[in-house]
Amino acid sequence: MPMTRTRTRYPAAALLSALCALLLTVAAPATAGAPPAVPPTPVVPLPSRMADTGGGDQLITAQTPTTSATAGTVVWWQRHNGRWRQAGSAPARFGSGGLTEGATRVQGTSTTPTGLYDLPFAFGSDPAPPGTVTPYRKVGVDSWWCEDNASASYNRWVEPLPADCAAGESERLADHPVQYSRALVTGFNYHRPVHGRGAGIFLHVHGKGATAGCVSVPAGAMARILSWLRPSQEPHIAIGTEYGPTALTRY
């Protein structure tokens, strides 16, 4: 007699359970061998990597990739409870001759001097923006910046132009109503001027292109910076490059 075969029936739920168990068994070794997740390395703010920030709680950094660049970024930073946080940023322009070490800069080279500087006062042909507490001088028709190396008023605001300061060697501020609509004086060569090193290095509003040695930002950014600055927090500006001898981290 032929053999009779019997067929065993499994419920569908049992088959599905067995299949899931098999899949888990196959996947288990790969999961177990996967490396643990590594948390991202925290980004250290630029001021925390600098050798000196001026000792205050406010800092403006003006940075380019290299000394030959004429464009970069300005960032303003606030320190609170020992931690630096970015308060704002803007695209920036620099001297048409690029950047150079401030201690050895030569006047007339259209270079922006690198270094760390204080911010003595602000000025402009427009009124100071709301909230400004930095000393602010209004530009008039007789407001000049003396850049004559032979003058006792070298690298100073003068009003009117003194006899020993030649107009052809100086800058009448009202002649630049866009760039000097609002501006900040930097302390480069200001407190003890070295004749021949350079005069009139400001943070001011953009003109048509690169500057003659200043740093410039859009008008809106200039207004925000002036409203944000607090002399009581000893603000400074640091100008430099990302790497090399003029890197911002050196200052």
Side-chain angles (χ1 to χ4, degrees):
M1 294 178 62
M3 295 180 60
T4 302
R5 298 184 180 182
T6 59
R7 180 177 298 174
T8 304
R9 296 178 180 275
Y10 294 96
L15 287 172
L16 181 60
S17 177
L19 180 58
C20 289
L22 179 60
L23 289 174
L24 288 172
T25 301
V26 173
T31 303
V38 178
T41 303
V43 177
V44 179
L46 177 57
S48 298
R49 293 182 276 118
M50 292 173 60
D52 187 10
T53 58
D57 291 324
Q58 289 187 325
L59 178 70
I60 300 170
T61 56
Q63 189 178 54
T64 62
T66 65
T67 53
S68 61
T70 59
T73 306
V74 159
V75 180
W76 46 108
W77 305 84
Q78 183 75 47
R79 181 161 56 182
H80 181 68
N81 291 333
R83 295 184 178 182
W84 288 101
R85 291 183 174 86
Q86 182 174 315
S89 67
R93 297 173 186 163
F94 297 77
S96 60
L99 278 67
T100 192
E101 174 60 54
T104 55
R105 182 183 185 270
V106 176
Q107 184 167 331
T109 55
S110 294
T111 52
T112 300
T114 64
L116 178 68
Y117 309 108
D118 66 349
L119 300 162
F121 64 92
F123 67 89
S125 54
D126 287 353
T132 300
V133 294
T134 299
Y136 191 91
R137 297 183 182 181
K138 190 72 168 59
V139 171
V141 293
D142 286 327
S143 302
W144 291 76
W145 199 271
C146 181
E147 299 177 6
D148 186 345
N149 276 288
S151 174
S153 301
Y154 179 68
N155 202 19
R156 286 291 182 273
W157 171 295
V158 290
E159 193 171 9
L161 192 68
D164 72 338
C165 188
E169 299 292 328
S170 300
E171 198 170 20
R172 193 168 80 128
L173 302 177
D175 289 343
H176 308 280
V178 175
Q179 293 94 322
Y180 296 156
S181 58
R182 287 172 178 146
L184 264 170
V185 177
T186 76
F188 168 73
N189 202 32
Y190 182 77
H191 299 288
R192 295 180 180 178
V194 176
H195 291 240
R197 184 154 294 166
I201 300 299
F202 312 128
L203 173 63
H204 63 67
V205 174
H206 276 338
K208 294 181 178 180
T211 73
C214 296
V215 179
S216 71
V217 292
M222 193 70 239
R224 291 193 296 274
I225 290 171
L226 288 174
S227 298
W228 163 79
L229 278 176
R230 293 293 179 268
S232 61
Q233 297 187 29
E234 301 178 37
H236 284 71
I237 184 170
I239 304 169
T241 55
E242 293 180 12
Y243 308 102
T246 54
L248 270 181
T249 51
R250 290 184 57 245
Y251 301 110

